[in-house]
Amino acid sequence: MEASTTKKASKFNHGIIDCDVHQGVKSYDDLKPYMPRVWWDRLKAHNATLPFLMFRPIPLERNDAAPGNGLPSGSDPEFAKVDLLDRYNIERAILTGNLLSISAHNNPDYAAALASAFNDYTMDTWIPSDERWLGSIVVATQDPLLAAKEIDRLGSHPRVVQVLLTSASREPYGQRRYYPIYEAAARNNLVIGIHGGGEGDGINPSTTAAGYPTTNFERHNILAIHHMSQLNSIVCEGVFERFPTLKVAFIEGGLAWLPHLMWRMDKNFRAMRNEVPWLKYKPSEYILKHVRLTTQPIEEPDNKELVQMFQLMHAEKTVMFSTDYPHWDNDTPLFVLNKLPEEMRRRVAYENAAEMYQLQERGLLAGGVAK
Amino acid sequence: MTKHDVVGVEELEAGACKITTIEGKSIGVYYNGNEYYAIRNVCPHQQVELCKGKFTGTTLESKPHEYIYGREGEILTCPWHGWEFDVKTGKALVDPDRYRVKVYDVSIENNRVLVHMD
Ligand code: FES
């Protein structure tokens, strides 16, 4: 296979599915109608209650993606439609929201109420605004029973395709206390999406495994460590044996670490299988069957190495395209996808996501291009 | 070489950038209070509109945990991934030989800012 070097968007004769778009609220006060009065006063103190420890020299939200009138980037569906979906010919986009430190909150009841309100807001304002938007139900993982209730409350909505957890958590996600979340996801036929967020904030463990870094640069270099830890835990603890239909998407955690982890897991499995007698297959086989990763923020080696990396991780099965719009480190489809050979590009841009989220079966594709 | 009249000197405040199209190219004309610069409005990284970024200064080379601020008004930071460019040369501060954005000569004639295209 030859790596394509074309820069032309017109080369795409299929659409794109974008697996990570961050919709937000115009103001946290917009959530009041969806929340019990008792929590209202906290909304204004959203950032004070859960401060980001890390100063970000480049603001999280891209300034040039602001819809105007002083509104925050990602808060206006009409603007985002033109600025993202139309501009890049994106056929479907999965909304992942901006409550990305919800599971870091010390108060499980407030966190659950905030997540519910945000989900209702998304259903009322974003989902009806365009059929290209597909929804995720964000849940706070502090109390898995409350999270399961929330999944059952909204899980049958025809345009909801995913349950969203943040990659930072008090305990690794393979552990049994999280089973109610997986049961509810399986019951509602939803993908579990694990998205970066909340590392080192609130009740969550440190930003890196060795402690708190000094700069956002250092933090961002090591982001993937939380995704690696969660994937390791989920596979080794036998979640996919317990929930055989479950699929997990790792969102915004980079990619290049996957071959490393798969190789290491398979090697160790040969020696330590007797610790995990419930695993019937090699760890990498569970990953190839149940797990997908999104592209952004993709590592940026030269093109040849990028294609090699994609081959090592079986990207034709495992990788789904994402922009991360409107965040500062988002990737344009022209940048990532144009570096890939045609066959791989089609899988990554469209088909892997269509299969993962069963968009064809759910009648959620426009073009019906997916096989 | 053709000179293109872009804007009157009194119309461009210090720190402001006017984005305009010249010979089919999007170009930002920026005034830092001292000099005028014309910069291609395309980031060499992912081809987004670079001149919508921030014109600012930066931390100068220093020893570990020493911070020296300088070059105020001489650095253009991309609105996307924050890569920094020298407004005078168009070169990226990191990897200047690999990543650069085109800059054009500018002259002031009769209180008008003119961009030179070759
Ligand atoms: S597009 Fe300018 S830094 Fe990435």
Side-chain angles (χ1 to χ4, degrees), chain A residues 300 328 330 332, chain B residues 42-50 77-85:
Chain A
E300 296 180 11
W328 72 281
N330 57 175
T332 77
Chain B
V42 179
C43 181
H45 180 217
Q46 294 196 13
Q47 275 83 49
V48 312
E49 286 198 77
L50 177 62
T77 305
C78 180
W80 280 45
H81 312 96
W83 290 18
E84 297 172 302
F85 297 88

